[in-house]
Every structure is written in structure tokens, then in C-alpha cells.
Amino acid sequence: MTSIVDIEQGQFLDINGAATHYHDVGEGKVVLLLHGSGPGVSAWANWRHAIPALAGSARVLALDLVGYGATERPDTVRYSLRTWTDHVWNFLDELGIDKVSVIGNSLGGRIAMQMAEDNQDRLDRLVLMGAPGVGMTLTEGLKALRSYEPSFDAMNTLLKNYFAVDKSIITDDLVQIRYEASAAPGAHEAYRLMFFHPDHAGSELAVSEDQVRAITVPTLLVHGREDRVVPVDVAWNMIDLLPNGDLHVFSRCGHWTQIERADEFNRLVADFLEIVEAH
């Protein structure tokens, strides 16, 4: 039986010359988890509650997108929605996976939408969690993310003020892990490049109403009512446009529904993805 330590450690796969760190756990229908863009984020930091829960009834994949986590950061990469989406497609191709359901958090949700625009035939279902979309503006939470400079105190303030309603889940250990990841060699430099350097396009994530209307894959929107990074109003805008969309809003919940309401989130998405209910 795979231990939680083995799951957390993950493994590496060469994707176009970049060593890509990922987790591959369980058997059955393939579910791909895509993390967000906050400082210190990684697949494991984002999905540590979801991976073991969903892997009991599906094959769960979660990679560190290029520029994040333990994945290599090539000097030649141009950070953009296209780059991240191509990285995901190439990852799936390298593993020989043709059909997949995608759960995308924040930036990961926008990548999932781009995947739908690229090739819906390869997608079974989509879950967009706290994802940017139609009507998205530069919120105070997003400004705080982008202006972050690595320190324990800055990470503590960021997570407690903008990510969760229940601040008790923001433990010193969690803050330390996220801070250390944000300050790892090359991590903050890449973070600044992707969102602020004119040669990169990490902030260009807008999606049009027509692009959303064209997504016919069954889609579940999941949002925290008190999300201060991507307001819940964005989800309401999106649900009016998606031809096969459902929406679930968690009350007293911020940008981290998969952490703040982990058990309920896991049961909800397991049911939507038509895999055995997660426990």
C-alpha cells in the first residue's frame, strides 16, 4: 500500500527537457489536479487532502506546473497560459493518457478552460474551483498575492487575511512550508517574472463569454462564498454561460475550498466525476 510519505514525495518525468515533478496515485478513471498560482504553491500543497481521498477510487495525477514547486525552471521558458496548458498536454501525452477529468484551482481552472478550448474530446468532466472567469477584476487578494515578498510573517499575513475564513487551519507548520517553498532557489524570481516581466504573460488570463459558452463538457463550479481572491460573483457569471454547468457555493469559506471544507469537497467532486464516493 502506498504511504502518505511516498505520495507526498512524488516522482519526476522529463517534459520537453524540463524535469517535471508529479504525483501519480490510484487506479481507474484518470483525474488530473491543477494547482493555483500563489507563492509557495505546489501540487502537494494545494491537493494534499484531495489526492489520497480521490485515489481510493480513481487514478489521480497532480503535477507542479513549470515555474512552481519542484519542477525545473528552464531559463528559456516564457510563462503564459499557453505555456502552462501545453505543459499539461505534453505531460498527459508522455504518460499515454487520452481521456481525463480535470479539477483546476484558480489558475488551474483557467488552464482547464483552455484545455476545453483546445480539445474537448480528450476531456470527460471539469471542476473549476475558485477559478478566474468572466467579470474577473484585480481584487485586493490578488494584489496581495502578487506583491508578496518572501518571509514567514508575510506568508502568515497573506494566508490568514486572504485564503481562509477559518484561520485555525493556517498553522505555523503550513505557513513555514509555504514560506520555505516561496523562498526556494529560483522560486520567487520565477514568480516575479511570470506576472511582472514584459517578456512573460502570466497575468493574461482573460476569458470571453463566447469561449465559456463553447465549453460543452459537463462542468462543476465550486466556490467559497467569502473568496477574497476570486469573488463568488465570477462563478455566478460563469454559470449563466456554461451550457452544462452546475454550481456549488460553500458558505463561510474562502479561496481554499479543497482545504477549508476538504471532506465535503472530496465527496462533492467524487460524486460529480462519477467515481466511488471519497471518504
Side-chain angles (χ1 to χ4, degrees):
M1 183 175 179
T2 304
S3 71
I4 197 71
V5 174
D6 292 334
I7 296 174
E8 181 178 358
Q9 183 176 4
Q11 52 196 303
F12 286 87
L13 184 67
D14 185 277
I15 306 296
N16 289 344
T20 297
H21 183 250
Y22 72 105
H23 311 270
D24 184 351
V25 192
E27 297 178 351
K29 295 175 67 172
V30 182
V31 179
L32 174 68
L33 309 181
L34 299 177
H35 63 71
S37 67
V41 76
S42 67
W44 183 252
N46 217 154
W47 302 113
R48 64 188 182 278
H49 299 306
I51 291 172
L54 299 178
S57 50
R59 181 183 180 186
V60 179
L61 300 171
L63 76 157
D64 293 347
L65 297 166
V66 63
Y68 292 96
T71 290
E72 193 174 6
R73 301 176 180 88
D75 292 337
T76 56
V77 69
R78 178 181 184 268
Y79 295 110
S80 68
L81 176 61
R82 185 71 267 161
T83 297
W84 287 314
T85 307
D86 287 345
H87 187 215
V88 173
W89 282 131
N90 291 333
F91 170 73
L92 293 174
D93 290 343
E94 195 68 29
L95 290 176
I97 294 168
D98 181 59
K99 194 90 168 182
V100 66
S101 287
V102 182
I103 305 176
N105 171 214
S106 201
L107 169 65
R110 182 62 187 91
I111 294 169
M113 284 185 264
Q114 185 58 50
M115 293 175 73
E117 185 171 353
D118 289 347
N119 189 352
Q120 296 197 67
D121 290 341
R122 293 186 65 179
L123 302 177
D124 187 12
R125 295 187 171 225
L126 299 180
V127 179
L128 310 179
M129 191 201 79
V134 173
M136 181 66 190
T137 59
L138 185 60
T139 61
E140 290 303 312
L142 198 54
K143 290 178 184 176
L145 259 70
R146 299 294 179 253
S147 63
Y148 167 82
E149 293 291 335
S151 76
F152 179 91
D153 289 343
M155 182 61 77
N156 187 53
T157 298
L158 180 68
L159 298 184
K160 287 184 175 177
N161 286 355
Y162 294 103
F163 277 85
V165 173
D166 179 8
K167 292 177 172 46
S168 69
I169 72 170
I170 310 298
T171 63
D172 285 349
D173 284 346
L174 174 61
V175 174
Q176 186 68 27
I177 289 168
R178 289 291 294 254
Y179 156 62
E180 289 178 358
S182 74
H188 191 60
E189 292 81 357
Y191 190 72
R192 299 295 298 177
L193 280 177
M194 62 182 70
F195 294 112
F196 293 103
H197 195 283
D199 291 342
H200 300 266
S203 295
E204 295 177 13
L205 302 174
V207 60
S208 71
E209 291 188 4
D210 286 343
Q211 286 174 302
V212 176
R213 288 192 187 97
I215 299 174
T216 58
V217 177
T219 301
L220 173 65
L221 303 179
V222 181
H223 225 97
R225 188 181 66 189
E226 284 75 31
D227 192 331
R228 298 188 64 195
V229 178
V230 179
V232 70
D233 289 351
V234 172
W236 287 111
N237 293 338
M238 295 286 285
I239 205 63
D240 284 338
L241 299 168
L242 286 164
N244 291 304
D246 295 329
L247 170 63
H248 187 102
V249 177
F250 284 104
S251 63
R252 294 195 53 76
C253 186
H255 195 54
W256 272 352
T257 59
Q258 87 284 19
I259 295 174
E260 202 165 6
R261 302 288 285 273
D263 290 343
E264 294 161 281
F265 173 83
N266 291 333
R267 288 193 297 268
L268 175 69
V269 299
D271 181 61
F272 177 74
L273 298 177
E274 298 182 338
I275 58 179
V276 178
E277 185 173 346
H279 298 286

